[in-house]
Amino acid sequence: MSKPRLGPWIVMLVAAIYFIVPLAATFEFSLRKRKGEYSFDAYRWLLDDPRFVESFLYSTAVAVATIVVGILLVLPTAYTIRVRLPRLRPLVEFMTLLPLVIPAILIVFGYL
């Protein structure tokens, strides 16, 4: 039987602390709307604001619409490229990486 490795568990623990501590601190800070005591007043005030509810619902609708449109575009394209046009696969992969690469290149030229 092999010895359990401790390194990956330490990395996972550090990563969990790195992400969870700021979230917990932000949540704790949001509970201190009243001085010296914890309450959900900030959340109650936020959810009672009609502008927040309207903008939250709009953002949610736009996010869902974006996901649906993305799936409707990517799924048929991926199927077609994989099954019917495999020779175009490198070109399509290159084109899908361009939005990730071009901003980094522009930042480098901006720094120069």
Side-chain angles (χ1 to χ4, degrees):
M1 227 160 110
S2 68
K3 184 171 87 171
R5 296 181 355 189
L6 189 60
W9 287 105
I10 292 173
V11 170
M12 288 296 290
L13 179 66
V14 169
I17 290 171
Y18 180 78
F19 288 111
I20 291 173
V21 168
L23 288 173
T26 303
F27 178 69
E28 191 269 338
F29 179 78
S30 72
L31 294 177
R32 290 189 281 147
K33 181 152 173 82
R34 293 187 205 161
K35 199 169 203 142
E37 65 181 82
Y38 290 125
S39 71
F40 286 99
D41 287 347
Y43 293 101
R44 196 173 304 117
W45 174 79
L46 185 66
L47 294 173
D48 285 341
D49 186 1
R51 293 177 302 173
F52 170 77
V53 174
E54 180 183 329
S55 64
F56 181 76
L57 291 175
Y58 177 74
S59 295
T60 304
V62 169
V64 169
T66 302
I67 291 168
V68 169
V69 168
I71 289 173
L72 291 176
L73 286 174
V74 169
L75 195 61
T77 304
Y79 175 78
T80 304
I81 295 299
R82 183 79 176 175
V83 174
R84 300 194 184 258
L85 303 169
R87 291 177 59 192
L88 286 179
R89 187 171 168 202
L91 176 65
V92 172
E93 287 177 355
F94 174 75
M95 289 173 47
T96 57
L97 287 176
L98 285 178
L100 302 173
V101 174
I102 290 175
I105 293 170
L106 293 178
I107 288 174
V108 168
F109 281 120
Y111 286 144
L112 291 178

